[in-house]
Amino acid sequence: MKQFATIAFRNLIAHRARSLILGGAIALVTTMVVIMLALTSGIKTRMIENATALSTGHVNVGGFLKISQSSSAPIVMNAEKIRKMLETNIPEATLIVDRVRAFGKIISDQNSIVVPMSGIDVTKERELLGHLALADKSEYLDGWVPKTGESATEGKVSDLEERGGIILFASHAKKLKVRVGDFVTISMPTYRNIYNTKDLKVVAVLKNLGMISSFTVFLHHADAREVYDMAPDTTGVFQIYLKSLDQVPEVENRVRKLLADGGLSLMDKDSNPFWMKFERVAGESWSGQKLDVTNWEDETSFLKWVLDILNALTFALTLVLMTIVVIGLINNLWMSVRERTSEIGTMRALGLQRSGVLQMFVLESLMLSVLSVGAGLVFGSLIALAVNALNIPVSSEAFVMFLMSNSLYLNVRPIDLVSTFGILCLLLMIGAFIPAYRASKMKPITAINHID
């Protein structure tokens, strides 16, 4: 085996130009695959980070209250009882917070928007909201030109610790034509179909985070309860945060069993965000309270198309490029077999078995594949690290919505590198086996006569 490996390596060196061209093509394909996988993983990572800060926990206990058959409100009753059950029986939880879910209109002096709202307690959610950045004034103030010494941002998230404030994202502030310090009016229908209003002061404007931030506005939980006309022992949803996403399925099942054993009515599993369930719940023939247990994937399922598109593009690109590279490898080996026909005949005449010829050519392609794919993995990883270090900003609203981040982020996962290495090497070896097998089937006399 050592002799075959030496012969294979020397042949690659002897035809270094051809080996470098083919090896470079394999490395380039590998690099592109690594970058595409890192981009997909980066988008998923950012989506989880932003979604869990803005609209969902890893596991959620929400629900609907129906005071009549045709009504539905996102309200959870007996909140303290449920909180104690969760805190006692979910030791894996790093944080459990409750938010008030609301939906209504925000009205400014010049415009209005209809958007979901979350009543939060900032003092309990500093860790969740810590990575949210304030938007530059230029993102929501038309024609804003900074003056000497003037800050590009304004407001503070911590100002929402006091009642009477509201936090918008740049897209909302731009539509409403407001800035920090301006007042807006929120108008929301209670579950008794009575409209209540309240004036709130804009205390901060945050950078857009793609599609998720379009469906999120923060206000003080006490203000949300007041406008939504909620009883003290009610809330909108309990959001449970875990140490690892791998714990989500087991914890979700345990929460469902815990609530059912506690005598609370549960809705059937529905893998959709809560706001897509209103119509279905309103059409069901029951009244009272039913709890709805979901996970982060359910609440962000409407964004799954982004990952599906990227996965499809990665697969299609890899398939096309790998087809070209495998054909190139096969052609390279055919040329090598043709050039070395007399050498093969001589070695066969000296007693080399067919299996030895097969091993020699397979080892040659294996060396080329391993070195080229390995180089591609290194280059792709270095490019991803460089992109993350540069923190390249994304200014286009369309790309921000697609990438779900204000900067380009590539997440290189070891499992992606290992699987890419194994799959690409396997495909290349399958392609190399055909000419290697044909070379091993050559008869010594035929190969020697090829000299003439």
Side-chain angles (χ1 to χ4, degrees), residues 7 11 339-348 360 447 451:
I7 295 172
N11 186 62
E339 292 171 356
R340 298 164 63 188
T341 299
S342 59
E343 177 187 335
I344 295 170
T346 302
M347 289 189 294
R348 291 281 286 118
M360 184 173 60
I451 298 175

Side-chain angles (χ1 to χ4, degrees), residues 191-266:
Y191 59 88
R192 296 183 178 87
N193 291 323
I194 299 174
Y195 275 83
N196 285 338
T197 61
K198 187 175 182 65
D199 291 335
L200 300 175
K201 179 182 177 181
V202 179
V203 296
V205 178
L206 303 176
K207 279 184 175 293
N208 291 328
L209 295 173
M211 193 177 297
I212 297 178
S213 61
S214 301
F215 301 105
T216 307
V217 166
F218 295 126
L219 61 153
H220 196 280
H221 64 98
D223 291 329
R225 292 174 186 276
E226 177 186 338
V227 180
Y228 217 48
D229 195 20
M230 295 175 62
D233 193 30
T234 58
T235 189
V237 60
F238 286 98
Q239 296 179 181
I240 305 170
Y241 297 88
L242 307 171
K243 297 177 182 178
S244 170
L245 293 180
D246 295 334
Q247 299 172 323
V248 170
E250 192 276 329
V251 171
E252 181 182 1
N253 291 332
R254 195 193 320 159
V255 168
R256 295 188 69 88
K257 185 177 186 302
L258 173 68
L259 297 175
D261 292 345
L264 300 169
S265 299
L266 297 180

Side-chain angles (χ1 to χ4, degrees), residues 245-304:
L245 293 180
D246 295 334
Q247 299 172 323
V248 170
E250 192 276 329
V251 171
E252 181 182 1
N253 291 332
R254 195 193 320 159
V255 168
R256 295 188 69 88
K257 185 177 186 302
L258 173 68
L259 297 175
D261 292 345
L264 300 169
S265 299
L266 297 180
M267 294 172 56
D268 294 333
K269 175 69 175 178
D270 184 352
S271 300
N272 283 304
F274 83 97
W275 49 267
M276 295 180 65
K277 301 174 183 177
F278 278 91
E279 186 175 350
R280 177 179 68 82
V281 172
E284 293 178 350
S285 58
W286 57 270
S287 59
Q289 170 80 65
K290 279 193 177 183
L291 299 179
D292 184 26
V293 181
T294 61
N295 58 49
W296 71 269
E297 290 183 299
D298 301 330
E299 298 295 337
T300 59
S301 58
F302 64 101
L303 298 171
K304 190 174 180 292

Side-chain angles (χ1 to χ4, degrees), residues 117-238:
M117 307 178 202
S118 291
I120 65 173
D121 185 348
V122 173
T123 59
K124 296 180 180 179
E125 300 196 27
R126 285 196 181 95
E127 184 179 347
L128 292 176
L129 306 177
H131 73 280
L132 301 180
L134 296 174
D136 291 345
K137 296 174 188 175
S138 59
E139 295 180 41
Y140 57 92
L141 296 178
D142 294 333
W144 178 78
V145 178
K147 300 177 182 178
T148 304
E150 184 180 2
S151 174
T153 62
E154 56 185 359
K156 294 184 297 182
V157 173
S158 59
D159 286 346
L160 197 63
E161 293 178 6
E162 302 295 330
R163 293 189 60 176
I166 187 170
I167 295 178
L168 307 174
F169 281 86
S171 58
H172 305 133
K174 189 171 185 177
K175 291 177 182 177
L176 293 170
K177 301 184 185 301
V178 297
R179 62 183 299 175
V180 172
D182 291 343
F183 282 84
V184 296
T185 300
I186 60 172
S187 174
M188 295 189 296
T190 70
Y191 59 88
R192 296 183 178 87
N193 291 323
I194 299 174
Y195 275 83
N196 285 338
T197 61
K198 187 175 182 65
D199 291 335
L200 300 175
K201 179 182 177 181
V202 179
V203 296
V205 178
L206 303 176
K207 279 184 175 293
N208 291 328
L209 295 173
M211 193 177 297
I212 297 178
S213 61
S214 301
F215 301 105
T216 307
V217 166
F218 295 126
L219 61 153
H220 196 280
H221 64 98
D223 291 329
R225 292 174 186 276
E226 177 186 338
V227 180
Y228 217 48
D229 195 20
M230 295 175 62
D233 193 30
T234 58
T235 189
V237 60
F238 286 98

Side-chain angles (χ1 to χ4, degrees), residues 9-71:
F9 181 74
R10 288 177 177 174
N11 186 62
L12 290 175
I13 298 298
H15 302 88
R16 62 178 63 88
R18 192 169 63 205
S19 299
L20 285 175
I21 292 173
L22 182 58
I26 295 173
L28 179 62
V29 170
T30 306
T31 300
M32 295 179 68
V33 171
V34 170
I35 292 175
M36 287 295 292
L37 290 174
L39 178 61
T40 303
S41 178
I43 291 177
K44 183 176 181 180
T45 300
R46 286 290 186 250
M47 183 180 75
I48 295 173
E49 289 178 355
N50 295 332
T52 51
L54 303 186
S55 61
T56 177
H58 296 139
V59 177
N60 307 285
V61 179
F64 291 90
L65 175 65
K66 298 182 62 173
I67 60 174
S68 65
Q69 184 172 328
S70 60
S71 67

